[in-house]
Amino acid sequence: MPTAPNTSVQPPLETGTFATQADITAVTYDRGAAQASTKGDGSQVTISYDAADNAYVIGVGPQNYRFLPSDALPSAGNFAFANSANGEERNLLLSTGDQGLIEPRPEYVREGLFYTSSYNAIDDEREYSASSFVFGLPSDVADIAPRGRAAHFITLRGALSGSSAQGAPYDTLSLLSGVGSVQVDFATGKVTIAANTSVSNTQGQSRDEANAGTLSGTADLASGENLFTGSFTANHTDGAGALAFNGDWSGRFYGPDADEVGGTLYATSGDYFYSASFAGREYDAVLPGDTLANLTGVTRFRTSRNANLFPEAGGIESLLSEYFLTYDAATQRWEVGTSQFTIGFGPGNRVSAQDANDLLAYRATQPVAGGGEVQYDIGLFDGSSQGVALTYTSFARVIGTRLDAGGAVEATSLDWIAFGIATPLDQIPLTGSASYTGRTAGTLRQGSDILAEFGGTSLLRVNFGDQTLTVRIAPSGVDAGGVPIAYGIYDFAGALSAVTGEIEADLNGGNGSLLGRFFGDAAQEYGATFRIEDAGLGTLDGVSFGKRD
């Protein structure tokens, strides 16, 4: 009886061979120094699955490499396998396809990396062969849209070689991972890719953060084909300085709706090579009627967060994005990850007598080990502030107090969170400029002591063409005695990320940063969290938000 064809690349799978695109490279490290690499014929690489023993099979020319469940290794974000034979170590990394709680999950394409290594003890040489690949179910040409734009969230896997200078991380083959975006303008045929990457060694140890990299490139859709090809540049920094890789990339669309993409990138920098594969799915479109007032089911929000945890042993401060915040329209309950724990709250937690400064008050408690608890005071934006009413954007402030069994304070926390119906990359304008008039809300503190709350105004100006922006924040408020505080005017400058769609800015001439997003189906609003270190006042934590003029 014939085996049914695969209709997805996600397990469980049927026995069969997938359409594969791959690059393959050989490189030798002589006493830790990378030698000139050699690019092979990627068309020799095949990917298949054998359901009889639940094995992935990598074919490289006449040689087949089988990876069984018994070869599996623990790995975050990957199916990882390793085995060896005749002195050769074989490794396979496959993306799980699970992009987290928010990002779209591809069903018809996956990316991976296969590499082998063998060691020559006499010459102190280690030889590597690395293949970055994608496999899946390509789309029919007729399924590709003739017009419009699309943006895809992608993940990347790959390998690269680099400098062997003193202190450099490239003493062995470096493994690459990353996230990014592929954007397509179907009418013009232009395709762009942008990504942020990081590297680790073959033992899974992360390289220093300073060795993170970026890549960007452009390509063109081939007329009458499911294919796009172009060029790209990737940048990395190792112990010997900056490395710039230049090369070519190509890809195609996958799935019956052509809403997924996958492909490979290959570049060189002198004798060093850079090989990566990518795969991902299109972001869901935001429609004009997709507002905070019209939520149904469970919604997981894209957010930015200003996090402060003040335990007795010291504090932790950070600006974060894409963390956990959900709303269940059926129960009207929220669930949010704070600096201390994840906490849920809803109508039963309302403390309306404490509503203030455009914030709806909630209180929730959570027990902790040893008999203590954390008390959370939550302020949720009521939707309007000083004449600025928001449709797609909101924010919250969460103050936490952790008590031991005897009621003594062990730690406090302060979180400001901006969230909403985020504008996908392909729905953010590509040309023109805009101004967003709005408001700010926040807290002034010295260490863990909150001295005052403030309001005020904000103004964001953005040039969509070159993706640059400025933000001006002008806080105002009084101290505990009712005396006005002489806040300054704080100006930020930054950019709109082509990778994530985030607003990223730094304080001009001072210590401060801002992180946020545009919200709505056409970037009608923005929301961001910020932190400012004012030497004369203390630390300002808060949110900035506004509507397009």
Side-chain angles (χ1 to χ4, degrees), residues 109-461:
V109 61
R110 293 167 72 185
E111 89 281 4
L113 172 70
F114 167 67
Y115 65 96
T116 67
S117 67
S118 58
Y119 181 62
N120 180 340
I122 297 175
D123 297 325
D124 194 13
E125 292 181 344
R126 182 168 288 275
E127 297 179 354
Y128 288 94
S129 174
S131 176
S132 301
F133 60 85
V134 292
F135 67 97
L137 307 172
S139 308
D140 293 331
V141 173
D143 295 327
I144 300 174
R147 62 187 65 87
R149 294 169 58 197
H152 307 75
F153 174 81
I154 60 169
T155 53
L156 300 98
R157 298 287 183 275
L160 65 158
S161 61
S163 171
S164 59
Q166 184 81 20
Y170 299 98
D171 51 346
T172 62
L173 187 72
S174 290
L175 307 184
L176 177 145
S177 61
V179 296
S181 68
V182 167
Q183 297 191 63
V184 186
D185 186 328
F186 292 101
T188 64
K190 182 180 179 180
V191 185
T192 62
I193 188 171
N196 296 324
T197 57
S198 59
V199 293
S200 64
N201 62 25
T202 56
Q203 285 73 48
Q205 298 166 329
S206 296
R207 305 302 194 189
D208 188 275
E209 186 175 340
N211 297 293
T214 61
L215 70 84
S216 61
T218 60
D220 295 301
L221 288 171
S223 178
E225 295 184 70
N226 179 7
L227 177 67
F228 47 86
T229 58
S231 59
F232 80 101
T233 297
N235 295 291
H236 274 266
T237 301
D238 66 11
L243 288 175
F245 296 87
N246 294 286
D248 301 320
W249 70 294
S250 62
R252 62 180 72 174
F253 298 96
Y254 290 81
D257 298 319
D259 57 357
E260 299 182 12
V261 294
T264 57
L265 310 98
Y266 190 89
T268 57
S269 178
D271 288 337
Y272 307 136
F273 81 95
Y274 182 109
S275 175
S277 57
F278 65 90
R281 186 173 180 176
E282 184 178 345
Y283 287 103
D284 292 334
V286 173
L287 303 178
D290 294 339
T291 69
L292 292 176
N294 295 333
L295 296 175
T296 60
V298 176
T299 303
R300 296 182 172 91
F301 291 99
R302 290 186 172 87
T303 69
S304 62
R305 169 184 167 201
N306 183 327
N308 303 278
L309 176 60
F310 307 109
E312 290 182 345
I316 300 172
E317 303 177 346
S318 61
L319 282 175
L320 307 172
S321 67
E322 298 298 346
Y323 88 116
F324 188 60
L325 189 151
T326 66
Y327 176 69
D328 188 336
T331 62
Q332 299 181 48
R333 282 189 61 81
W334 299 84
E335 191 166 312
V336 57
T338 74
S339 295
Q340 299 194 49
F341 299 101
T342 297
I343 188 70
F345 63 95
N349 301 100
R350 280 283 281 128
V351 190
S352 56
Q354 296 183 14
D355 291 353
N357 300 326
D358 309 318
L359 296 177
L360 304 176
Y362 295 79
R363 169 161 281 200
T365 60
Q366 187 171 47
V368 296
E373 69 175 15
V374 180
Q375 298 176 355
Y376 289 103
D377 290 297
I378 303 143
L380 181 65
F381 183 51
D382 65 8
S384 179
S385 176
Q386 305 172 65
V388 177
L390 300 181
T391 303
Y392 309 96
T393 312
S394 190
F395 65 89
R397 181 198 64 201
V398 183
I399 298 174
T401 304
R402 183 170 180 168
L403 307 172
D404 65 16
V409 176
E410 292 185 322
T412 58
S413 62
L414 170 64
D415 293 84
W416 284 95
I417 307 133
F419 65 94
I421 310 298
T423 308
L425 277 167
D426 57 308
Q427 293 179 235
I428 296 175
L430 294 174
T431 59
S433 59
S435 295
Y436 294 74
T437 301
R439 301 288 181 260
T440 188
T443 45
L444 172 66
R445 63 179 172 85
Q446 290 182 354
S448 60
D449 296 327
I450 298 176
L451 306 180
E453 297 182 2
F454 60 79
T457 62
S458 68
L459 176 65
L460 180 147
R461 291 191 173 98

Side-chain angles (χ1 to χ4, degrees), residues 9 20 27 41 55 67 99 164 193-194 196 292 295 406 482 517 549:
V9 293
T20 308
V27 63
D41 182 3
F67 293 92
Q99 315 302 352
S164 59
I193 188 171
N196 296 324
L292 292 176
L295 296 175
R517 288 184 179 273
D549 297 339

